[in-house]
Amino acid sequence: MAISELPLRSKILKIKITMASNRTFTMIKPDATSRNYTGAILEQICKAGFRIVAMKQTKLSAEKAGEFYAVHSARPFYGELVEFMSSNYIVAAILEKENAVEDFRKLIGATNPANAEEGTIRKRFAQSIGENAVHGSDSDENAAIEGNFFFSGLEKY
Ligand code: CMP
């Protein structure tokens, strides 16, 4: 059925589903910041065509890291993840580009750097599945939630 023939509610839903988001959220994790890879990672992100909408360097408390990764609280690696993410400073950023979530996940590569493609950020800079250099949102909805976790409306340009 053509979109023009759909009732308004279905039309809005269809547009939402078909429209790729243009924003994603990332963190450069403690393993990468402490090894001084922040500049090289940001360079690769910008060269891939992402615009930085908001960015800050900060350190998560264990409580805040636990809150950010609450969705993984039942997983066996949750304690280790929270400890690692609060072990040193991180760089959080909202990024903009057409098809941002999917394109950014391609750019960073598989969660486990051992399985990541050559040239991806995790292949170049990550050490293990737990210490994997960068985070990238897995959906448009989570990109918005995660971006709002770190940035107010006034901090997004
Ligand atoms: P990230 O993309 O930030 O999302 C969840 C994180 O959990 C993931 O990257 C990894 O850092 C971590 N993680 C996922 N699977 C494992 C695992 N099997 N062991 C340890 N950490 C993991």
Side-chain angles (χ1 to χ4, degrees):
M1 186 188 282
I3 194 163
S4 57
E5 294 167 48
L6 293 169
L8 185 60
R9 271 192 64 174
S10 317
K11 216 180 265 181
I12 292 169
L13 195 65
K14 189 168 173 69
I15 289 168
K16 268 189 171 170
I17 291 167
T18 19
M19 228 173 52
S21 149
N22 63 353
R23 285 191 181 179
T24 191
F25 171 79
T26 188
M27 273 188 288
I28 302 178
K29 298 187 180 186
D31 58 315
T33 59
S34 59
R35 295 164 85 207
N36 219 7
Y37 290 151
T38 302
I41 291 173
L42 287 174
E43 184 184 22
Q44 187 165 351
I45 291 171
C46 292
K47 277 189 173 159
F50 290 87
R51 185 181 79 78
I52 297 168
V53 173
M55 184 163 68
K56 69 172 69 158
Q57 181 168 285
T58 185
K59 188 171 182 294
L60 290 168
S61 62
E63 190 191 349
K64 278 286 170 194
E67 204 183 307
F68 183 88
Y69 280 113
V71 67
H72 296 300
S73 60
R75 310 286 284 274
F77 56 80
Y78 180 67
E80 194 184 306
L81 177 62
V82 168
E83 191 183 332
F84 164 62
M85 287 304 296
S86 55
S87 66
N88 206 339
Y89 63 94
I90 55 118
V91 174
I94 296 174
L95 304 171
E96 193 169 76
K97 183 184 181 292
E98 208 175 289
N99 203 28
V101 167
E102 199 185 323
D103 285 3
F104 191 69
R105 285 174 76 83
K106 269 189 212 143
L107 181 70
I108 64 180
T111 306
N112 186 345
N115 302 328
E117 276 186 39
E118 253 350 286
T120 57
I121 292 176
R122 283 175 173 153
K123 190 69 175 187
R124 292 180 65 200
F125 301 108
Q127 306 177 81
S128 65
I129 190 165
E131 304 201 359
N132 62 355
V134 281
H135 168 78
S137 304
D138 63 3
S139 67
D140 295 349
E141 193 190 358
N142 283 338
I145 294 169
E146 292 169 0
N148 291 336
F149 186 91
F150 282 92
F151 300 100
S152 72
L154 279 174
E155 293 172 308
K156 299 173 196 163
Y157 297 101

